[in-house]
Amino acid sequence: MSTELQGRNTSEWIEQARVQLADQLDMHRAQLTELTDDTGDPRDAHTQAALIVAARRGYDQAVEALARIAEGRYGRCDKCGGDIPRERLEILPHARYCVPCTS
């Protein structure tokens, strides 16, 4: 567990992040279900395909973040192993990298 996330109210905060990520997962799942329904209008195909890709990416990011929480790796950068600041995780709960490693 990231030392940045250790301390008072950490387990409560991580549980809130888990709930937020689970909500995002449900939202993306619903979007994917809706988007994969064929409208029959070929003019919508390109836009629909782009929306499916975006929803699938969001779905995968939420699944991966929930797995990191379950494994106790949430808040650790996948590249350098350092802490991901809590503020970054509050804005981007599925963040896998600290800011320096995103460059």
Side-chain angles (χ1 to χ4, degrees), residues 3-35:
T3 56
E4 178 79 18
L5 294 178
Q6 292 177 353
R8 203 167 76 186
N9 299 325
T10 299
S11 61
E12 182 179 305
W13 183 82
I14 290 178
E15 177 59 20
Q16 289 173 350
R18 190 197 63 73
V19 168
Q20 181 182 5
L21 286 160
D23 289 346
Q24 287 178 4
L25 187 67
D26 291 340
M27 179 193 68
H28 291 302
R29 185 180 295 126
Q31 283 177 330
L32 285 167
T33 300
E34 182 179 326
L35 288 168

Side-chain angles (χ1 to χ4, degrees), residues 10 65-67 73 77 94:
T10 299
L66 289 166
R73 298 184 302 116
C77 176
H94 62 269

Side-chain angles (χ1 to χ4, degrees), residues 18-92:
R18 190 197 63 73
V19 168
Q20 181 182 5
L21 286 160
D23 289 346
Q24 287 178 4
L25 187 67
D26 291 340
M27 179 193 68
H28 291 302
R29 185 180 295 126
Q31 283 177 330
L32 285 167
T33 300
E34 182 179 326
L35 288 168
T36 54
D37 290 340
D38 188 7
T39 63
D41 188 347
R43 296 175 295 175
D44 293 339
H46 182 68
T47 301
Q48 190 171 3
L51 292 171
I52 288 171
V53 168
R56 184 66 181 166
R57 184 179 311 123
Y59 179 89
D60 291 344
Q61 289 171 335
V63 167
E64 292 167 2
L66 289 166
R68 288 192 301 277
I69 289 172
E71 295 166 359
R73 298 184 302 116
Y74 189 72
R76 283 277 192 206
C77 176
D78 282 354
K79 188 172 183 181
C80 73
D83 295 339
I84 299 174
R86 186 171 174 164
E87 294 81 9
R88 177 168 171 74
L89 293 169
E90 287 172 352
I91 294 167
L92 196 65

